[in-house]
Amino acid sequence: MEKKIVLAIDDNVQQLMEYKVFLVPQYDLRVVKAASEALNFLNSNRVDVILLDIEMPNISGFTFLEDIRKIPSYMYVPIIIVSGNTGADFLHQAKNSTANDVLSKPVNQEMLVTAIEKTLAKGNWA
């Protein structure tokens, strides 16, 4: 069976390294450090799920969410927000965004894999 492709977008190199430990070899993990890099990557690559940090330089994760949902081929791709921000306003905005799930950092392997599997199992992300 072909591995699902997970794109992790986070400006924290340590977080990206943790994703590699948690997700490889179960998933085909791709990592980028900025939302602009992710948009460039997605122009020529397919992914099955996106792990998205919100607080990044240049383009915020919420802006990225708005931008990607305008691309027909990514309108329904599952996106899981993974953020260290636990403020009430942030969590309200995250829960009301077009993301499929929201996780608070730090995440452990079981939490992350469970969220990915649950999101992928839904099948139709509309």
Side-chain angles (χ1 to χ4, degrees):
M1 188 167 99
E2 193 174 317
K3 290 181 190 177
K4 297 291 185 184
I5 300 168
V6 176
L7 175 63
I9 309 166
D10 200 308
D11 60 325
N12 182 322
V13 175
Q14 181 65 36
Q15 184 65 56
L16 294 175
M17 288 173 39
E18 282 186 15
Y19 287 152
K20 285 182 182 178
V21 170
F22 292 166
L23 301 176
V24 174
Q26 185 174 354
Y27 298 99
D28 181 355
L29 179 67
R30 310 297 175 90
V31 298
V32 295
K33 296 177 191 159
S36 57
E37 283 181 56
L39 290 171
N40 288 335
F41 177 86
L42 294 170
N43 281 332
S44 56
N45 295 277
R46 175 190 69 80
V47 301
D48 296 297
V49 66
I50 296 172
L51 303 176
L52 176 63
D53 183 31
I54 293 296
E55 296 172 356
M56 294 183 291
N58 301 324
I59 302 173
S60 81
F62 286 124
T63 301
F64 173 83
L65 264 174
E66 290 175 20
D67 291 346
I68 196 169
R69 294 302 188 207
K70 293 174 188 170
I71 302 169
S73 58
Y74 284 98
M75 195 173 293
Y76 301 114
V77 72
I79 298 175
I80 300 170
I81 293 173
V82 185
S83 179
N85 189 334
T86 57
D89 289 343
F90 167 80
L91 291 175
H92 178 76
Q93 185 177 6
K95 296 265 186 214
N96 289 305
S97 72
T98 59
N100 301 76
D101 202 353
V102 180
L103 299 176
S104 295
K105 291 180 185 175
V107 294
N108 62 39
Q109 184 174 14
E110 181 181 353
M111 178 189 309
L112 189 60
V113 170
T114 299
I116 291 170
E117 291 299 318
K118 181 181 78 173
T119 301
L120 289 172
K122 289 182 181 174
N124 179 3
W125 305 289

